[in-house]
Amino acid sequence: MAEAAQSHAFPSLRSLAAGMVLAIALCAMNSFLTLSFGIIEEGPNIAALFFFAGFVLSKTRITTAEMVIVSTMGSAGGSLGFITNFFAAKVMTGPAYTLVQMAAFCVVTSLLGMLAVIPLRELLVVREELPWPSSRAVATVISALVERPDRRQAMALGAATLLCMGYVVANDDGGYGLVPAFVSLPLFGLASYGAGLALSPFALGGSYLMGLRTCLGFLVAGLLLLASAPWLPEPSAPYHYIWPGIGFLVGSGLMMMALNWRMLRDAFRSVVRLQRQGPKDDEAILGRRGLVVFGVFVILVTFVFSMGVMGLGFLVVLLLILVGGFVQNLIATRAAAVTNFNPARVMGVLVQGICAAFGARSAALNLTGAGFVAGSGAQASVLIGDMVYGRWFRVPPRWQFWTQMVTIVPCALVSAAVFRTIHARTPLLLVGGRLPAPVAKIWATTALIFDGQQPFPPYALEALVFAGLAGALYAVLEARTPLGSWLPSSVGLGIGLVLPVSIDLSFFVGGFLLTVVLGRWLKVSAVTLTTFAVAAIVGEGIGGVLKPLLDVAGLIPH
């Protein structure tokens, strides 16, 4: 990996300003996308591409250090958007949090994640040599943009982003009604079951970054929904019957964790190795005294907020700090370093169970377990991955740590405000509603089960259990048999069962067109396809956030 020595004592002003703007924009974007599709793109590559596009014509040459700082700040904001699933799960099970409560929860759990970064970096970056596939991908993009700058890519990115954003705002799904958001497929009467194509930039363009197996998973899910629609309570919207999808996601996720037991074992062995002599970290983020002061402050703030505002008991808060703040980040970060498995959805369920087992059984209380996973994980595992390529490029880790720290409060306010705006315009419901919000529905369902409630219509519990067993078996076939590389992704299949059929089909069509037709057959470069995918993601996300704001301002006619 190419390395670049640093020539500045501090990050450049333009990288800090651009990083903050991109962090806020990506946080708003992902707050919308995770509720609409159940998927987010954390954003280091997006941030790098947009910074490059903004300054490629500048007389001052773009440096790798600037790209690292911008990517770090952008991914921090982008990943925090995931926490809106927690806010959505809360309104699905009871009264919503206030804006202040949501923003404060983001800040407190983010600080806990930042505290976990310090020992985890020592464990997994300084002491161990791990593959870090995602970090290598980001480093490759940064190197390509800095070493071989192409102004045409910058122009294409800007034009495609504006085009996608304009289409989303102009469509007839809450926009100006100038272009369609959906085209039905009148084949064999399947249109009555929701068969069609969602003309969504995210689904059609962003699918390229998900991989073809994931897109195939969406296709299979869409076909299963169409096949089962005549026997479901709402044949015109089969995805409203959420129980099989939730069961499949939880079952496959838990089995993937079990199958990756060696990764879990090695993660905990890393803690033991910390006590042994190893490579000296001459780039420590904080000195021993600073770490003690910061740690005491974060833990005290977490206890005061969790007990005083969230109503949790002392023991539950202690467990959340240990499990939600450190253990789950250790597991998630090592998983990201070695595999492509992301345990965040399932870890939320497991930490909810821990809360319930130690007295926090009510839905409102056990849900905080999932919230801790979302908030602390948004900072810890993502920042450590960023610090890996920062280390390769010789960017001091304290730069990345503190520049990410300054994004927390602004992004906390943005995520809370965006969620409140979206929910006011498009109410989020456990069953039904226009926004699928699959991750929120998993956590909300789990919260009600631990609460002792039975939120199930007839045969839903059986569907949940059966699909969970099917998901577990599918995960084994995917991970432990020669068929694994040919099977559709379990993530795409599970999430697809909770999405509208039109979105499932659009994910497949977009992935096939970009990956196979343009990439393999027509030999369009990967950089160009990535540029278009990034533009589609950002255009959909920002356009989706703009529509409710324009509506509130009275600028969209009804």
Side-chain angles (χ1 to χ4, degrees):
M1 183 64 62
E3 296 182 344
Q6 302 308 305
S7 58
H8 301 286
F10 301 99
S12 69
L13 182 59
R14 68 178 184 178
S15 67
L16 294 175
M20 180 62 75
V21 171
L22 288 166
I24 291 171
L26 289 171
C27 181
M29 177 191 84
N30 279 338
S31 297
F32 168 77
L33 292 178
T34 192
L35 299 177
S36 299
F37 303 97
I39 300 170
I40 65 171
E41 171 60 38
E42 280 89 357
N45 284 330
I46 294 176
L49 280 166
F50 272 90
F51 181 75
F52 169 78
F55 292 97
V56 67
L57 299 178
S58 170
K59 293 181 180 179
T60 303
R61 181 177 176 271
I62 296 173
T63 67
T64 53
E66 290 180 313
M67 296 289 265
V68 167
I69 293 302
V70 170
S71 295
T72 300
M73 297 176 74
S75 65
S79 58
L80 190 57
F82 185 72
I83 204 169
T84 52
N85 288 296
F86 168 60
F87 305 150
K90 180 64 171 65
V91 303
M92 292 175 183
T93 57
Y97 290 123
T98 66
L99 181 68
V100 173
Q101 286 176 319
M102 289 188 287
F105 189 91
C106 287
V107 171
V108 171
T109 54
S110 293
L111 287 174
L112 190 61
M114 295 297 287
L115 178 62
V117 163
I118 299 172
L120 290 180
R121 176 183 172 273
E122 174 78 9
L123 289 172
L124 303 178
V125 179
V126 177
R127 297 292 182 95
E128 294 197 59
E129 290 290 336
L130 299 172
W132 296 102
S134 296
S135 299
R136 289 190 179 277
V138 177
T140 299
V141 170
I142 290 176
S143 295
L145 292 174
V146 173
E147 295 170 9
R148 299 180 298 278
D150 185 350
R151 297 180 180 182
R152 292 174 298 177
Q153 295 295 336
M155 296 173 63
L157 178 64
T161 300
L162 290 175
L163 180 63
C164 292
M165 189 186 310
Y167 194 93
V168 172
V169 172
N171 70 23
D172 55 10
D173 182 18
Y176 286 94
L178 302 176
V179 293
F182 169 85
V183 174
S184 63
L185 297 178
L187 300 174
F188 312 109
L190 294 177
S192 61
Y193 303 138
L197 287 178
L199 301 181
S200 158
F202 180 82
L204 292 170
S207 54
Y208 173 74
L209 298 181
M210 300 176 193
L212 195 56
R213 284 187 60 240
T214 300
C215 296
L216 285 170
F218 285 117
L219 173 64
V220 172
L223 296 176
L224 288 174
L225 289 175
L226 289 174
S228 59
W231 294 274
L232 296 179
E234 291 184 70
S236 62
Y239 71 99
H240 283 174
Y241 195 73
I242 61 175
W243 318 109
I246 289 176
F248 189 92
L249 280 168
V250 173
S252 59
L254 289 174
M255 180 56 71
M256 285 299 294
M257 288 193 67
L259 293 174
N260 283 280
W261 65 271
R262 289 186 178 86
M263 180 270 297
L264 302 178
R265 176 201 63 192
D266 292 342
F268 289 105
R269 282 182 174 177
S270 298
V271 179
V272 176
R273 294 191 192 110
L274 184 62
Q275 305 301 322
R276 303 175 185 170
Q277 193 68 25
K280 184 182 179 185
D281 183 9
D282 55 1
E283 296 181 322
I285 298 168
L286 289 172
R288 181 172 298 180
R289 180 177 299 178
L291 178 58
V292 170
V293 171
F294 181 61
V296 170
F297 170 76
V298 171
I299 291 172
L300 283 177
V301 168
T302 304
F303 268 108
V304 171
F305 176 79
S306 300
M307 297 176 68
V309 177
M310 306 302 290
L312 298 170
F314 179 87
L315 180 58
V316 172
V317 179
L318 181 61
L319 288 170
L320 284 175
I321 291 173
L322 293 175
V323 179
F326 182 77
V327 173
Q328 74 93 11
N329 282 319
L330 173 63
I331 294 171
T333 306
R334 191 173 184 98
V338 178
T339 71
N340 289 320
F341 172 54
N342 184 348
R345 302 178 188 90
V346 176
M347 284 301 300
V349 172
L350 294 177
V351 180
Q352 282 181 264
I354 291 173
C355 290
F358 285 87
R361 292 195 58 190
S362 72
L365 295 182
N366 76 61
L367 259 178
T368 56
F372 266 71
V373 169
S376 68
Q379 305 299 331
S381 60
V382 174
L383 177 55
I384 294 168
D386 293 336
M387 285 181 167
V388 172
Y389 60 80
R391 185 178 177 87
W392 293 334
F393 289 122
R394 296 184 179 178
V395 175
R398 64 183 181 277
W399 286 15
Q400 293 177 273
F401 183 86
W402 292 112
T403 52
Q404 176 153 325
M405 182 75 77
V406 300
T407 67
I408 291 177
V409 172
C411 290
L413 293 169
V414 167
S415 64
V418 169
F419 172 77
R420 190 169 72 166
T421 302
I422 291 173
H423 179 56
R425 185 172 183 266
T426 311
L428 287 141
L429 307 173
L430 180 57
V431 178
R434 287 173 55 193
L435 291 177
V439 177
K441 289 180 178 179
I442 292 174
W443 292 347
T445 301
T446 305
L448 293 174
I449 292 173
F450 287 141
D451 194 11
Q453 301 183 40
Q454 296 294 325
F456 305 113
Y459 304 109
L461 182 59
E462 291 83 353
L464 190 75
V465 173
F466 178 78
L469 295 174
L473 176 61
Y474 195 91
V476 173
L477 294 174
E478 188 178 21
R480 292 290 186 267
T481 70
L483 294 173
S485 59
W486 296 94
L487 287 174
S489 164
S490 58
V491 173
L493 178 52
I495 292 177
L497 290 172
V498 196
L499 293 178
V501 173
S502 60
I503 292 179
D504 289 335
L505 298 182
S506 292
F507 271 127
F508 170 73
V509 170
F512 183 80
L513 286 176
L514 270 69
T515 304
V516 178
V517 177
L518 296 179
R520 297 180 185 173
W521 296 349
L522 299 181
K523 306 300 181 184
V524 176
S525 71
V527 173
T528 299
L529 293 174
T530 299
T531 298
F532 176 73
V534 166
I537 293 170
V538 175
E540 177 89 47
I542 301 301
V545 173
L546 279 177
K547 281 194 291 189
L549 296 177
L550 292 170
D551 191 23
V552 170
L555 298 177
I556 294 181
H558 293 280

